[in-house]
Amino acid sequence: MFTKKYFPAFVCFVLLHLTAVAQIKFERDFNLAPALSGIRGWVEIGGKAYCSANDGYFGYELWQFDPATEQATRLTDLRKQGGSSDPADMTAYEGKVYFTATTDDGVRRLFFFNPAQWEVVEAGAPFVFDDDCQSNMVVHNGQLWLTGRYNGQLNLWKFDAASSVFTEIPTPANGHPVWFQPRRKTSFDGRLYFQAYHEDGEFRLWSYDNQTGGIIQEPTQFDGQEWEVMSSVVCGGKLFFFLEHGFKKRWHYYDPGADSCVLIYSPSMFGHDDFVCLDEKLWFQKVSGRGIEIYDPSNGQLTEIDESNTGGMPPYLGDFKIMDNQVWFIGNDPSIGILGVYQYNASAAQAELNTGFLSPYPALSSLMRQGDAYFGTANDGQQNEVFKYSPSSNTVSLVADINKGNANGFSLYEDPDLQLFDGRMYLSTSFSNNVNNEIWAKDLSDGHFENISEQLPMEDRPVIKHQAEVLDGRMYFSGAQRGNEFRQLVSYQTGDDTLTWHGNIQPTISLQGTLPYLRNMTAHNGLLYFNTWKDFVFTQFFRFDPASQTLDYVPGMEQTTGNMQFIFQDKLYFDGGLNGEFGDHLYAFDLVNGGYTEIANDSILQSSYPYSMYLLGDKIAFPAYNPSLFFSGFIRLFDPATGTYNDVLPQGYSRIYFKNPVLFEGKYWFNPEYYESDSLFWLDPATATCELALDLTPYGLVATGEMTVFDGKLYFAGATLEHGRELFEYDPVTAQVRLYADINPGAGNANPSGLQVINNRLYFIADDGWRGRELWSLSNCFAVSLTAVPDSLGQQAGQISLNVQGGTAPFSFSWNNGATTQDIAGLAAGFYEATVTDANGCEATVFTVLEGGLAVGINELAKTTQIKVFPNPVGTGQQLSISLENDFRGRVKIDFLGLDGRVLHSFFEEKTGQQLQVSKGLPSSFAGNLFIVRVSDGEGSAARVVVRF
């Protein structure tokens, strides 16, 4: 059997990490609510618990929790390119934790963790797992039984730990070879029972006979109705099945002697599979959820305990657990109105509320005992972590905060609009579905953030939405709602203690369930113009006069609907329709003389959705299509001075999509696709030409979002397979594209968006995988890099050193662990971030994650010696020799990485013998730099070493 061992990257060698250009700064974490670890699965071995959990950085991986020390330790990092390996199907077998997990190639395989050797090992199964496997692993007859896919077939397998051999069980003659899909396995009376498909496409009950070594179909009374086995349990010497067919649920026990299933409980509709076996009796939830049914296999009697009994049974109970010879369960306590934990005392026939467990609410299936305390996963309304309940003091405390990160500070669906006003930058936060709206201001002189709406009731908190507007020394933005009162237009002036509300646009009754934000505010000739809802489903056009404090429809546009684009030469340009109807038209309305000019109608516009016009100098551009061609697209330019049109399409292209152009190098650059493109184009409205501006294919990159210009360079959101969606930079001087910063390291997606330049600084929203979508910025002050030595086997021996290039001394250093020195040491594994400030107040942020002494087998410590690189350092013109030893097999990939993890150069070699000797010259651009040589094969082996050129 081939055995492959996994260990975390950067454990046994120096890790060097550099943000590509370290002027990046993490501005603020607005939502400090705890992030969730999402603990799932729970298996106990040797007094320790094993589960799948997400620490917010490495995704879902395998964790160990030791109640004796109250420590949680991550054991795996199986996806080096980023993302979760999602350990599942955790099963205790032969003192090890067996589980399935997904590796970087997207394939789900079988692994085990050996606590004695402290290592994670791929079990070497010849099959893989997928969604159709539904492989509940079960130990039967001293072997591990599972379902796996091999050669396209989903069959039953067994694994013998003593011989390390996997054996496929042949399918029966009347079982379909592809769709057999054995599931819901249970060991009973020397046989393995399970459910699988029959060749007629229906579920059947099957069993494996250890003596004959074959699979047989069990004749049962529910065969003809395709009942699905949802749960099974052995109790009182009988095998019980919880079955489901449509909305019907049933409890049966199986009688092998009579080859039949005996119905014991048959609710007409719905049902629950919460159950336990106590004193050889089966306890399960009543169909109503308001009590418990107890079945005694010895006499066939069914006893009910519900809210009508003297036992005080609460309604809506479930999640049964046996502890201390009592049945524990969750119930909805009518006296407190929330879920509570109950214990049923059989001797007293009494259900007793355990007040210590009122909050947080634990998942009883994960509870375990250590001394006089109980440990398990729970949610206290903020965190989903491991908690401890101490009966002596009747208290609950958090003992393992696996995900120390914070929640999202901004809505996932839209970014905050930033507004510069009177020396401060304003923005609004919306943590979830426009709840918890807050207006924040950042003083650009000292960087201080202030919440200017925290004193207001939640329903009165306004929102800066679709960009605020400054008029006559005041900043105007959208308001809030209190009941049916819509307080929509609000303004703020520096120094005011309160916000000022103006007007109240009351929408019609049909729209009163919606908060009608003011959109697209534009100041023009001392008046404020904007869109909002009132009489129609679509937005209408309003204006506000600060001098008279009057707010009403724009005169002449009372029956007009649509979205305002911009005001140019006393004309309001918009997309929409006239006479209260929404239409696919582009118009200009004359604010001085009245009257409409149609720019385009639905015969030339690309869809039934509102489309944008863009003011490019003195021309107006918008996307259009040829109605006679099914799949087409071009750019139409409109000249307001002459009323003439030019249709533009790049030479050599049959179609183009046009959106969000950015003025760069004297032309308007844009991403030509809806979502992503491997090329950028430019449009010159003066000459009515459009051409390819930048081919991203050589960089393995696609543009995925908006662009902006900052410090003479073009910044845009882009994606590569290696780095995910990150921030990229194009420098027209060098004509090169580079990854600006891998904010969410590896293949994780930072999804930068909302790019805006304010006061010579580029602000944007990004997710570093740790704190959610929060505010970042960058400037051209100075660069910071770091060198990190990881922790060694949990000994708190990690070290991080900072290097600052440029800027003005003296520098100050602020670490997220409270340190204020340039270099820090004595570090445990974890997330570390430093903010560096120079004498001029310029700031930069650099961060890394230190790996620790995770699941590394002793034999794996030699892995780092299996790649040899010489000479090191390598001089200009010299050949770099790479020697690979025999753990690497077949076709190997050799990558040269920058210290930011960016692949600079790659090539492949075929390794046929015990060793592979490669000699390569290196690009001259490597001169004077440190870089990482990484070698990997197709089976997951990887090693790397740092080289100086």
Side-chain angles (χ1 to χ4, degrees), residues 440-581:
W440 287 82
K442 177 189 178 183
D443 192 320
L444 299 180
S445 63
D446 59 15
H448 175 69
F449 279 92
E450 178 186 1
N451 188 337
I452 66 172
S453 59
E454 62 181 345
Q455 303 301 323
L456 295 174
M458 189 65 68
E459 65 271 17
D460 278 353
R461 293 186 178 181
V463 180
I464 297 177
K465 195 177 183 72
H466 301 282
Q467 194 71 25
E469 185 74 329
V470 175
L471 179 62
D472 294 336
R474 300 190 70 89
M475 181 174 63
Y476 291 85
F477 46 94
S478 191
Q481 163 186 1
R482 185 204 299 268
N484 288 328
E485 178 188 1
F486 292 82
R487 306 173 62 183
Q488 292 179 265
L489 183 61
V490 61
S491 68
Y492 177 78
Q493 188 172 31
T494 306
D496 285 355
D497 294 330
T498 60
L499 302 169
T500 301
W501 297 86
H502 311 270
N504 180 23
I505 300 176
Q506 183 80 21
T508 55
I509 295 177
S510 62
L511 297 175
Q512 286 187 5
T514 308
L515 180 59
Y517 291 112
L518 309 185
R519 299 172 178 266
N520 310 317
M521 287 192 186
T522 303
H524 179 69
N525 288 341
L527 302 176
L528 188 68
Y529 293 82
F530 53 85
N531 288 127
T532 192
W533 291 268
K534 180 172 173 56
D535 297 327
F536 303 110
V537 176
F538 310 107
T539 59
Q540 296 167 269
F541 299 88
F542 291 82
R543 74 178 185 183
F544 173 70
D545 186 343
S548 62
Q549 290 290 298
T550 56
L551 189 157
D552 206 346
Y553 291 113
V554 173
M557 300 188 75
E558 293 85 352
Q559 298 298 310
T560 306
T561 62
N563 293 283
M564 182 167 57
Q565 304 280 345
F566 49 82
I567 296 177
F568 177 58
Q569 294 178 343
D570 290 329
K571 292 184 174 62
L572 189 157
Y573 288 81
F574 66 98
D575 64 271
L578 308 181
N579 302 317
E581 297 180 355

Side-chain angles (χ1 to χ4, degrees), residues 35 117 249 833 841:
Q117 299 293 328
K249 322 277 182 167
E833 180 180 63

